[in-house]
Amino acid sequence: MNKVYSIASQKGGVGKSSTVLNLGTALSLMGKKVLCVDLDPQGSLTICAGVKKPDKLTHSTYTLLNAVLDKETLPESGEYIVPCEKIDVIPCNIRLAAFETNRGHEMGVQKTLQKALAPLREQYEIILIDTGPSLGVLTANAITASDSVIIPVTPQLLSAVGLKLLINTVETVKEHFNPNVVIEGILMTMCDTRTNLYKKITKIMEQMTVSLSFRIFNTIIPHSTNVGEANLRCQSVLTFDGQCKPSQAYMEFAKELMSYA
Ligand SMILES: Nc1ncnc2c1ncn2[C@@H]1O[C@H](COP(=O)(O)OP(=O)(O)O)[C@@H](O)[C@H]1O
Ligand SMILES: [Mg+2]
């Protein structure tokens, strides 16, 4: 079995990049071979995974996408994949923003990442794609390249409100570019389960998902400063403190996700 997941939400700060890094690490601790792809020009995943000097990268998702779109011969995968602790990463930097502006209107551009990842699907059991806070051409590429989409939601109203737009985007990609893609589920992140806000938002999400064909995952990622501490150290939270609550939650989530695969 090998599978490609996008972690997507047009809302920033909901835990997409943290989830890619920590879920990726948890899956690798389960013995899976994991590749994480940074498709957000802000490059948070690249930085948090510990890639040094992103601005100086010779190869990145930007150069890879351009090479595929220009039908050039791709470099050896070892040249653009960076080993980081327990996972491998295709990093990026701010230049990736230019892909959207300069090449976003070209014919078939939505399938560029899918083509780039096709040979790598043989080498990795799990590929996780980190996306930016927009529903533009880069996120369309991520969803087109994926089997499944995971949507992180925080217990804040604005985080839940944009959901319909994202669901529509997945439907559009399904119709035009990738008939097999599904929404795997909603992952509640940064939760303090004792608060009223958490209870209210969970209720809203449950009501929303009743009419839809995807789940809210059983695993809930708690709010914990350890995640930010680990990010600061360019580590996954599991490396920073394997026993803390968010580390255990990401391990639980990795197991839950694999139980649906
Ligand atoms: N479970 C958590 N508890 C507390 N803070 C978190 C948690 N997950 C992420 N964060 C912090 O929230 C901020 C946004 O997270 P990030 O993963 O970058 O979100 P996104 O990629 O959606 O913009 C970061 O500063 C990160 O350290
Ligand atoms: Mg991010």
Side-chain angles (χ1 to χ4, degrees), residues 43-126:
S44 313
L45 169 69
T46 299
I47 295 162
C48 292
V51 174
K52 306 278 180 271
K53 301 201 174 126
D55 292 345
K56 303 265 189 299
L57 288 166
T58 310
H59 297 290
S60 63
T61 42
Y62 175 69
T63 57
L64 189 60
L65 291 178
N66 277 307
V68 171
L69 205 53
D70 291 333
K71 300 190 166 35
E72 289 171 4
T73 314
L74 300 185
E76 289 292 313
S77 61
E79 289 188 45
Y80 54 86
I81 293 175
V82 184
C84 297
E85 276 187 5
K86 307 233 170 341
I87 53 169
D88 285 351
V89 174
I90 305 183
C92 80
N93 54 35
I94 193 66
R95 288 172 72 202
L96 182 60
F99 186 81
E100 191 131 24
T101 22
N102 297 344
R103 313 216 59 177
H105 301 292
E106 293 185 31
M107 182 101 89
V109 68
Q110 293 86 353
K111 293 203 168 187
T112 316
L113 183 66
Q114 187 185 56
K115 287 180 192 157
L117 295 184
L120 300 175
R121 288 188 74 131
E122 308 300 316
Q123 296 175 35
Y124 291 91
E125 289 168 280
I126 306 283

Coordinates of all heavy atoms in Angstrom, one line a residue, residues 43-126:
G43 N 7.2 28.2 3.4 CA 8.3 27.2 3.7 C 8.4 26.8 5.2 O 9.5 26.4 5.7
S44 N 7.3 26.9 5.9 CA 7.3 26.5 7.4 C 7.8 25.1 7.6 O 8.6 24.8 8.5 CB 6.0 26.7 8.1 OG 5.4 27.8 7.7
L45 N 7.3 24.2 6.8 CA 7.7 22.8 7.0 C 9.2 22.6 6.7 O 9.9 22.0 7.5 CB 6.9 21.9 6.0 CG 7.4 20.4 5.9 CD1 7.1 19.7 7.2 CD2 6.7 19.7 4.7
T46 N 9.6 23.3 5.7 CA 11.1 23.2 5.3 C 11.9 23.6 6.5 O 12.9 23.0 6.9 CB 11.3 24.1 4.1 OG1 10.6 23.6 3.0 CG2 12.8 24.1 3.7
I47 N 11.5 24.8 7.1 CA 12.3 25.3 8.2 C 12.2 24.4 9.5 O 13.1 24.0 10.1 CB 11.8 26.8 8.6 CG1 12.1 27.7 7.4 CG2 12.5 27.3 9.8 CD1 11.3 28.9 7.3
C48 N 10.9 24.0 9.8 CA 10.7 23.2 11.0 C 11.3 21.9 10.9 O 11.7 21.3 11.9 CB 9.2 23.1 11.3 SG 8.5 24.7 11.8
A49 N 11.5 21.3 9.7 CA 12.1 20.0 9.5 C 13.6 20.1 9.7 O 14.3 19.1 9.7 CB 11.7 19.4 8.2
G50 N 14.1 21.3 9.7 CA 15.5 21.5 9.9 C 16.4 21.7 8.7 O 17.6 21.5 8.7
V51 N 15.7 22.0 7.5 CA 16.5 22.2 6.3 C 17.3 23.6 6.5 O 16.7 24.6 6.8 CB 15.6 22.3 5.1 CG1 16.4 22.6 3.8 CG2 14.9 20.9 4.9
K52 N 18.6 23.5 6.3 CA 19.4 24.7 6.5 C 19.4 25.6 5.2 O 19.3 25.1 4.1 CB 20.9 24.3 6.7 CG 21.0 23.3 7.9 CD 21.0 24.0 9.2 CE 21.2 23.1 10.4 NZ 19.9 22.5 10.9
K53 N 19.3 26.9 5.4 CA 19.4 27.9 4.4 C 18.5 27.6 3.2 O 18.9 27.4 2.0 CB 20.8 28.0 3.8 CG 21.8 28.4 4.9 CD 23.1 28.9 4.3 CE 24.0 29.4 5.4 NZ 25.3 28.9 5.5
P54 N 17.2 27.6 3.4 CA 16.2 27.3 2.3 C 16.4 28.3 1.1 O 16.2 27.9 0.0 CB 14.8 27.6 3.0 CG 15.1 27.4 4.4 CD 16.5 27.8 4.7
D55 N 16.8 29.5 1.4 CA 17.0 30.5 0.3 C 18.0 30.1 -0.7 O 18.0 30.5 -1.8 CB 17.3 31.9 0.8 CG 16.1 32.5 1.6 OD1 15.0 31.9 1.4 OD2 16.3 33.4 2.3
K56 N 18.9 29.2 -0.2 CA 20.1 28.8 -1.1 C 19.9 27.5 -1.8 O 20.8 27.0 -2.4 CB 21.4 28.7 -0.2 CG 21.7 30.0 0.5 CD 22.7 30.8 -0.3 CE 23.3 32.0 0.5 NZ 22.3 33.0 0.9
L57 N 18.7 26.9 -1.7 CA 18.4 25.6 -2.2 C 18.6 25.6 -3.8 O 18.1 26.5 -4.5 CB 17.0 25.1 -2.0 CG 16.6 24.8 -0.5 CD1 15.1 24.7 -0.3 CD2 17.3 23.4 -0.2
T58 N 19.4 24.6 -4.3 CA 19.5 24.5 -5.7 C 18.2 23.8 -6.3 O 17.7 24.2 -7.3 CB 20.7 23.5 -6.0 OG1 21.8 24.0 -5.3 CG2 21.0 23.5 -7.5
H59 N 17.7 22.8 -5.5 CA 16.5 22.1 -6.0 C 15.4 22.3 -4.9 O 15.7 22.3 -3.7 CB 16.8 20.6 -6.2 CG 17.8 20.4 -7.3 ND1 17.5 20.6 -8.6 CD2 19.0 19.9 -7.3 CE1 18.5 20.3 -9.4 NE2 19.5 19.9 -8.6
S60 N 14.2 22.4 -5.3 CA 13.1 22.6 -4.4 C 11.8 22.2 -5.1 O 11.9 21.9 -6.3 CB 13.0 24.1 -4.0 OG 12.7 24.9 -5.1
T61 N 10.7 22.3 -4.5 CA 9.4 22.0 -5.2 C 9.3 23.0 -6.4 O 8.7 22.6 -7.4 CB 8.2 22.1 -4.3 OG1 8.3 23.3 -3.4 CG2 8.0 20.9 -3.4
Y62 N 9.8 24.2 -6.2 CA 9.7 25.2 -7.3 C 10.4 24.7 -8.5 O 9.9 24.7 -9.6 CB 10.3 26.5 -6.8 CG 10.3 27.6 -7.9 CD1 9.2 28.2 -8.4 CD2 11.6 28.1 -8.4 CE1 9.2 29.2 -9.3 CE2 11.6 29.0 -9.3 CZ 10.4 29.6 -9.8 OH 10.5 30.5 -10.8
T63 N 11.7 24.3 -8.4 CA 12.5 23.9 -9.5 C 11.9 22.6 -10.1 O 11.9 22.4 -11.3 CB 14.0 23.7 -9.2 OG1 14.1 22.8 -8.1 CG2 14.6 25.0 -8.8
L64 N 11.4 21.8 -9.2 CA 10.8 20.5 -9.7 C 9.6 20.7 -10.5 O 9.4 20.1 -11.6 CB 10.5 19.6 -8.4 CG 10.1 18.2 -8.6 CD1 11.2 17.4 -9.3 CD2 9.8 17.5 -7.3
L65 N 8.7 21.6 -10.0 CA 7.4 21.8 -10.8 C 7.8 22.5 -12.1 O 7.2 22.1 -13.2 CB 6.5 22.8 -10.0 CG 5.9 22.2 -8.7 CD1 5.0 23.2 -8.0 CD2 5.1 20.9 -9.0
N66 N 8.7 23.4 -12.1 CA 9.1 24.0 -13.4 C 9.7 23.0 -14.4 O 9.3 23.0 -15.6 CB 10.1 25.2 -13.2 CG 9.4 26.5 -12.8 OD1 8.5 26.9 -13.5 ND2 9.8 27.0 -11.6
A67 N 10.5 22.1 -13.9 CA 11.1 21.1 -14.7 C 10.1 20.2 -15.4 O 10.1 19.9 -16.6 CB 12.2 20.3 -14.0
V68 N 9.1 19.8 -14.5 CA 8.0 18.9 -15.1 C 7.2 19.7 -16.1 O 6.9 19.1 -17.2 CB 7.1 18.4 -13.9 CG1 5.9 17.7 -14.5 CG2 7.9 17.5 -13.0
L69 N 6.8 20.9 -15.8 CA 6.0 21.7 -16.7 C 6.8 22.0 -18.1 O 6.1 22.0 -19.1 CB 5.6 23.0 -16.1 CG 4.3 23.7 -16.6 CD1 3.1 22.7 -16.6 CD2 3.9 24.9 -15.7
D70 N 8.1 22.1 -18.0 CA 8.9 22.4 -19.2 C 9.3 21.1 -19.8 O 10.1 21.1 -20.8 CB 10.1 23.2 -18.8 CG 9.8 24.6 -18.4 OD1 8.7 25.1 -18.8 OD2 10.5 25.2 -17.6
K71 N 8.8 19.9 -19.3 CA 9.2 18.6 -19.9 C 10.7 18.4 -19.9 O 11.2 17.7 -20.9 CB 8.5 18.4 -21.3 CG 7.0 18.5 -21.2 CD 6.4 18.1 -22.6 CE 4.9 17.8 -22.6 NZ 4.1 18.7 -21.7
E72 N 11.4 18.9 -18.9 CA 12.8 18.6 -18.8 C 13.1 17.3 -18.2 O 12.2 16.8 -17.5 CB 13.5 19.7 -18.0 CG 13.5 21.1 -18.7 CD 14.0 22.2 -17.8 OE1 14.3 21.9 -16.6 OE2 14.0 23.3 -18.2
T73 N 14.3 16.7 -18.3 CA 14.6 15.5 -17.6 C 14.8 15.9 -16.1 O 15.5 16.9 -15.9 CB 16.0 15.0 -18.2 OG1 15.9 15.0 -19.6 CG2 16.2 13.5 -17.7
L74 N 14.2 15.2 -15.2 CA 14.3 15.5 -13.8 C 15.7 15.1 -13.2 O 16.2 14.1 -13.7 CB 13.2 14.9 -13.0 CG 11.8 15.2 -13.4 CD1 10.8 14.6 -12.4 CD2 11.6 16.7 -13.4
P75 N 16.2 15.8 -12.3 CA 17.4 15.4 -11.6 C 17.1 14.1 -10.8 O 16.0 13.7 -10.6 CB 17.7 16.5 -10.6 CG 16.5 17.4 -10.5 CD 15.7 17.1 -11.7
E76 N 18.2 13.4 -10.4 CA 18.0 12.2 -9.6 C 17.3 12.6 -8.3 O 17.5 13.7 -7.8 CB 19.4 11.7 -9.2 CG 20.2 11.0 -10.3 CD 19.5 9.7 -10.7 OE1 19.2 8.9 -9.8 OE2 19.4 9.5 -12.0
S77 N 16.4 11.8 -7.8 CA 15.6 12.1 -6.6 C 16.5 12.5 -5.4 O 16.1 13.4 -4.6 CB 14.6 11.0 -6.2 OG 15.4 9.9 -5.8
G78 N 17.7 11.9 -5.3 CA 18.6 12.3 -4.2 C 19.1 13.7 -4.2 O 19.5 14.3 -3.2
E79 N 18.9 14.4 -5.4 CA 19.4 15.8 -5.5 C 18.3 16.7 -4.9 O 18.7 17.8 -4.4 CB 19.7 16.1 -6.9 CG 20.9 15.4 -7.4 CD 21.3 16.0 -8.8 OE1 21.3 17.2 -9.0 OE2 21.6 15.1 -9.6
Y80 N 17.0 16.4 -5.0 CA 16.1 17.3 -4.4 C 15.4 16.9 -3.2 O 14.6 17.6 -2.6 CB 15.0 17.8 -5.5 CG 14.3 16.6 -6.2 CD1 13.2 16.1 -5.7 CD2 14.8 16.1 -7.4 CE1 12.5 15.1 -6.3 CE2 14.1 15.1 -8.0 CZ 13.0 14.5 -7.5 OH 12.3 13.5 -8.1
I81 N 15.6 15.6 -2.8 CA 15.0 15.1 -1.5 C 16.0 15.3 -0.4 O 17.2 14.8 -0.5 CB 14.5 13.7 -1.6 CG1 13.4 13.6 -2.6 CG2 14.1 13.1 -0.3 CD1 12.9 12.2 -2.9
V82 N 15.6 15.9 0.7 CA 16.6 16.1 1.8 C 16.2 15.2 3.0 O 15.0 15.3 3.5 CB 16.5 17.6 2.3 CG1 17.5 17.9 3.4 CG2 16.7 18.6 1.2
P83 N 17.1 14.4 3.5 CA 16.7 13.5 4.7 C 16.8 14.4 5.9 O 17.7 15.1 6.2 CB 17.9 12.5 4.7 CG 18.8 12.9 3.7 CD 18.4 14.1 3.0
C84 N 15.7 14.4 6.7 CA 15.5 15.2 7.9 C 15.1 14.2 9.0 O 14.0 13.8 9.0 CB 14.5 16.3 7.8 SG 14.8 17.5 6.5
E85 N 16.0 14.0 10.0 CA 15.6 13.1 11.1 C 14.9 11.8 10.6 O 15.5 11.1 9.9 CB 14.7 13.8 12.1 CG 15.5 14.6 13.1 CD 14.7 15.2 14.2 OE1 13.5 14.9 14.3 OE2 15.2 16.0 15.1
K86 N 13.6 11.7 10.9 CA 13.0 10.4 10.6 C 12.3 10.5 9.2 O 11.7 9.4 8.8 CB 11.9 10.1 11.6 CG 12.5 10.2 13.0 CD 12.2 8.9 13.8 CE 12.9 8.7 15.1 NZ 14.1 9.4 15.4
I87 N 12.2 11.6 8.6 CA 11.4 11.7 7.3 C 12.3 12.3 6.2 O 13.4 12.9 6.5 CB 10.2 12.7 7.5 CG1 10.6 14.0 8.0 CG2 9.1 12.0 8.3 CD1 9.6 15.1 8.0
D88 N 11.9 12.1 5.0 CA 12.5 12.8 3.9 C 11.6 14.0 3.5 O 10.4 13.9 3.6 CB 12.7 11.8 2.7 CG 13.8 10.8 2.9 OD1 14.6 11.0 3.9 OD2 13.9 9.9 2.1
V89 N 12.3 15.0 3.0 CA 11.5 16.3 2.7 C 11.9 16.8 1.3 O 13.1 16.8 0.9 CB 11.8 17.4 3.7 CG1 11.1 18.7 3.3 CG2 11.3 16.9 5.1
I90 N 10.9 17.2 0.5 CA 11.2 18.0 -0.7 C 10.9 19.5 -0.2 O 9.7 19.8 0.0 CB 10.4 17.7 -1.9 CG1 10.5 16.2 -2.3 CG2 10.8 18.5 -3.1 CD1 9.7 15.8 -3.5
P91 N 11.9 20.2 0.0 CA 11.8 21.5 0.6 C 11.4 22.6 -0.4 O 11.4 22.3 -1.6 CB 13.2 21.8 1.1 CG 14.1 21.1 0.2 CD 13.4 19.9 -0.3
C92 N 11.0 23.8 0.1 CA 10.8 24.9 -0.8 C 11.2 26.2 -0.2 O 11.6 26.2 1.0 CB 9.3 25.0 -1.3 SG 8.2 25.7 -0.1
N93 N 11.1 27.3 -0.9 CA 11.4 28.6 -0.4 C 10.4 29.6 -1.1 O 9.5 29.1 -1.9 CB 12.8 29.0 -0.6 CG 13.3 28.9 -2.0 OD1 12.5 29.1 -3.0 ND2 14.5 28.5 -2.2
I94 N 10.6 30.8 -0.8 CA 9.6 31.8 -1.2 C 9.5 31.9 -2.8 O 8.4 32.4 -3.3 CB 9.9 33.2 -0.6 CG1 8.8 34.2 -0.8 CG2 11.2 33.8 -1.2 CD1 7.5 33.9 0.0
R95 N 10.5 31.4 -3.5 CA 10.4 31.5 -5.0 C 9.2 30.7 -5.5 O 8.7 31.0 -6.6 CB 11.7 30.9 -5.6 CG 12.9 31.8 -5.4 CD 14.2 31.1 -5.8 NE 14.3 30.9 -7.3 CZ 15.0 30.0 -7.9 NH1 15.7 29.2 -7.1 NH2 15.0 29.9 -9.2
L96 N 8.7 29.7 -4.7 CA 7.6 28.9 -5.1 C 6.4 29.8 -5.4 O 5.5 29.5 -6.3 CB 7.2 27.9 -4.1 CG 6.1 26.9 -4.3 CD1 6.3 26.1 -5.6 CD2 5.9 26.0 -3.2
A97 N 6.3 31.0 -4.8 CA 5.2 31.9 -5.0 C 5.1 32.3 -6.5 O 4.0 32.6 -7.0 CB 5.3 33.1 -4.1
A98 N 6.3 32.4 -7.1 CA 6.4 32.8 -8.5 C 5.7 31.7 -9.5 O 5.3 32.1 -10.6 CB 7.8 33.0 -8.9
F99 N 5.7 30.5 -9.0 CA 5.1 29.5 -9.9 C 3.6 29.8 -10.1 O 3.1 29.7 -11.2 CB 5.2 28.1 -9.2 CG 4.7 27.0 -10.1 CD1 5.5 26.5 -11.1 CD2 3.4 26.4 -9.9 CE1 5.1 25.4 -11.9 CE2 3.0 25.4 -10.7 CZ 3.8 24.9 -11.7
E100 N 2.9 30.2 -9.0 CA 1.5 30.5 -9.1 C 1.3 31.7 -10.0 O 0.4 31.7 -10.9 CB 1.0 30.8 -7.7 CG -0.5 30.9 -7.6 CD -1.1 30.1 -6.4 OE1 -0.3 29.8 -5.5 OE2 -2.2 29.7 -6.5
T101 N 2.1 32.8 -9.9 CA 1.9 34.0 -10.7 C 2.3 33.8 -12.1 O 1.6 34.2 -13.0 CB 2.6 35.2 -10.1 OG1 3.7 34.7 -9.2 CG2 1.7 36.1 -9.2
N102 N 3.5 33.1 -12.3 CA 4.1 33.1 -13.7 C 3.5 32.0 -14.5 O 3.4 32.1 -15.7 CB 5.6 32.9 -13.6 CG 6.2 34.1 -12.9 OD1 5.6 35.2 -12.8 ND2 7.5 33.9 -12.5
R103 N 3.1 30.8 -13.9 CA 2.8 29.7 -14.7 C 1.4 29.1 -14.4 O 1.0 28.2 -15.0 CB 3.8 28.6 -14.4 CG 5.2 29.1 -14.4 CD 6.2 28.2 -15.0 NE 5.9 27.7 -16.3 CZ 6.7 26.9 -17.0 NH1 7.8 26.5 -16.5 NH2 6.4 26.5 -18.2
G104 N 0.7 29.8 -13.5 CA -0.6 29.4 -13.0 C -1.7 29.3 -14.1 O -2.7 28.6 -13.9
H105 N -1.5 29.9 -15.2 CA -2.5 29.9 -16.3 C -2.2 28.9 -17.4 O -2.9 28.8 -18.4 CB -2.7 31.3 -16.8 CG -3.1 32.3 -15.8 ND1 -4.3 32.2 -15.1 CD2 -2.4 33.3 -15.2 CE1 -4.4 33.2 -14.2 NE2 -3.2 33.8 -14.2
E106 N -1.1 28.2 -17.3 CA -0.7 27.3 -18.4 C -1.6 26.1 -18.4 O -2.1 25.6 -17.4 CB 0.8 26.9 -18.3 CG 1.7 28.1 -18.5 CD 3.2 27.8 -18.5 OE1 3.5 26.6 -18.9 OE2 4.0 28.6 -18.1
M107 N -1.8 25.6 -19.6 CA -2.6 24.4 -19.8 C -2.1 23.2 -19.0 O -0.9 22.9 -19.0 CB -2.6 24.0 -21.3 CG -3.4 22.9 -21.7 SD -5.0 23.4 -22.4 CE -4.5 23.5 -24.1
G108 N -3.0 22.6 -18.3 CA -2.6 21.4 -17.5 C -1.8 21.6 -16.3 O -1.3 20.6 -15.7
V109 N -1.6 22.8 -15.9 CA -0.7 23.1 -14.8 C -1.1 22.4 -13.5 O -0.2 22.0 -12.7 CB -0.6 24.6 -14.5 CG1 -1.9 25.2 -14.0 CG2 0.5 25.0 -13.6
Q110 N -2.4 22.1 -13.3 CA -2.9 21.4 -12.1 C -2.3 20.0 -11.9 O -2.2 19.5 -10.8 CB -4.4 21.3 -12.1 CG -5.1 22.7 -12.0 CD -5.3 23.3 -13.3 OE1 -4.8 22.9 -14.4 NE2 -6.1 24.4 -13.4
K111 N -1.8 19.4 -13.0 CA -1.3 18.0 -12.9 C 0.2 18.0 -12.7 O 0.8 16.9 -12.7 CB -1.7 17.2 -14.1 CG -3.2 17.0 -14.2 CD -3.6 15.8 -15.0 CE -5.1 15.5 -14.8 NZ -5.4 14.3 -15.5
T112 N 0.8 19.1 -12.5 CA 2.3 19.1 -12.5 C 2.9 18.3 -11.3 O 3.8 17.5 -11.5 CB 2.8 20.6 -12.4 OG1 2.1 21.4 -13.3 CG2 4.3 20.7 -12.8
L113 N 2.3 18.6 -10.1 CA 2.9 17.9 -9.0 C 2.6 16.4 -9.0 O 3.4 15.5 -8.7 CB 2.3 18.4 -7.7 CG 2.9 17.8 -6.4 CD1 4.3 18.1 -6.2 CD2 2.1 18.3 -5.2
Q114 N 1.4 16.0 -9.5 CA 1.1 14.6 -9.7 C 2.1 13.9 -10.6 O 2.6 12.8 -10.2 CB -0.3 14.5 -10.4 CG -0.9 13.1 -10.5 CD -2.2 13.1 -11.3 OE1 -2.2 13.6 -12.4 NE2 -3.2 12.7 -10.6
K115 N 2.5 14.6 -11.6 CA 3.6 14.0 -12.5 C 4.9 13.9 -11.8 O 5.6 12.9 -11.9 CB 3.7 14.8 -13.8 CG 2.5 14.6 -14.7 CD 2.7 15.5 -16.0 CE 1.4 15.6 -16.8 NZ 1.4 16.7 -17.6
A116 N 5.2 14.9 -11.0 CA 6.5 14.9 -10.3 C 6.6 13.8 -9.3 O 7.6 13.2 -9.1 CB 6.7 16.3 -9.6
L117 N 5.4 13.5 -8.6 CA 5.4 12.5 -7.6 C 5.3 11.1 -8.1 O 5.6 10.1 -7.4 CB 4.3 12.8 -6.5 CG 4.5 14.1 -5.7 CD1 3.4 14.3 -4.7 CD2 5.9 14.2 -5.1
A118 N 4.8 11.0 -9.3 CA 4.5 9.6 -9.9 C 5.7 8.6 -9.6 O 5.5 7.5 -9.1 CB 4.1 9.7 -11.3
P119 N 6.9 9.0 -10.0 CA 8.0 8.0 -9.8 C 8.3 7.8 -8.3 O 8.8 6.7 -7.9 CB 9.2 8.6 -10.5 CG 8.9 10.1 -10.7 CD 7.4 10.2 -10.7
L120 N 8.0 8.7 -7.5 CA 8.3 8.6 -6.0 C 7.3 7.8 -5.3 O 7.6 7.3 -4.2 CB 8.4 10.0 -5.4 CG 9.5 10.9 -6.0 CD1 9.4 12.3 -5.4 CD2 10.9 10.4 -5.8
R121 N 6.2 7.6 -5.8 CA 5.1 6.7 -5.2 C 5.6 5.3 -5.0 O 5.2 4.6 -4.1 CB 3.8 6.8 -6.0 CG 3.1 8.1 -5.9 CD 1.7 8.0 -6.5 NE 0.8 7.2 -5.7 CZ -0.4 7.6 -5.3 NH1 -0.9 8.7 -5.8 NH2 -1.2 6.9 -4.5
E122 N 6.6 4.9 -5.9 CA 7.1 3.6 -5.7 C 8.1 3.5 -4.5 O 8.3 2.4 -3.9 CB 7.9 3.2 -7.0 CG 7.1 3.3 -8.3 CD 5.9 2.5 -8.3 OE1 6.0 1.3 -7.9 OE2 4.8 3.0 -8.7
Q123 N 8.7 4.6 -4.2 CA 9.8 4.6 -3.2 C 9.3 4.9 -1.8 O 10.0 4.6 -0.8 CB 10.8 5.7 -3.5 CG 11.6 5.5 -4.8 CD 12.5 6.7 -5.1 OE1 13.1 7.3 -4.2 NE2 12.6 7.0 -6.4
Y124 N 8.1 5.5 -1.7 CA 7.6 5.8 -0.3 C 6.3 5.2 -0.1 O 5.4 5.1 -1.0 CB 7.5 7.3 -0.2 CG 8.8 8.0 -0.2 CD1 9.4 8.4 -1.4 CD2 9.5 8.2 1.0 CE1 10.7 9.0 -1.4 CE2 10.8 8.8 1.0 CZ 11.4 9.2 -0.2 OH 12.6 9.8 -0.1
E125 N 6.1 4.8 1.2 CA 4.7 4.2 1.5 C 3.7 5.3 1.7 O 2.5 5.2 1.4 CB 4.9 3.4 2.8 CG 5.6 2.1 2.6 CD 6.0 1.4 3.9 OE1 7.0 1.9 4.6 OE2 5.3 0.5 4.4
I126 N 4.2 6.4 2.3 CA 3.3 7.6 2.6 C 4.0 8.9 2.1 O 5.1 9.1 2.4 CB 3.1 7.8 4.1 CG1 2.6 6.5 4.8 CG2 2.1 8.9 4.4 CD1 1.1 6.1 4.5

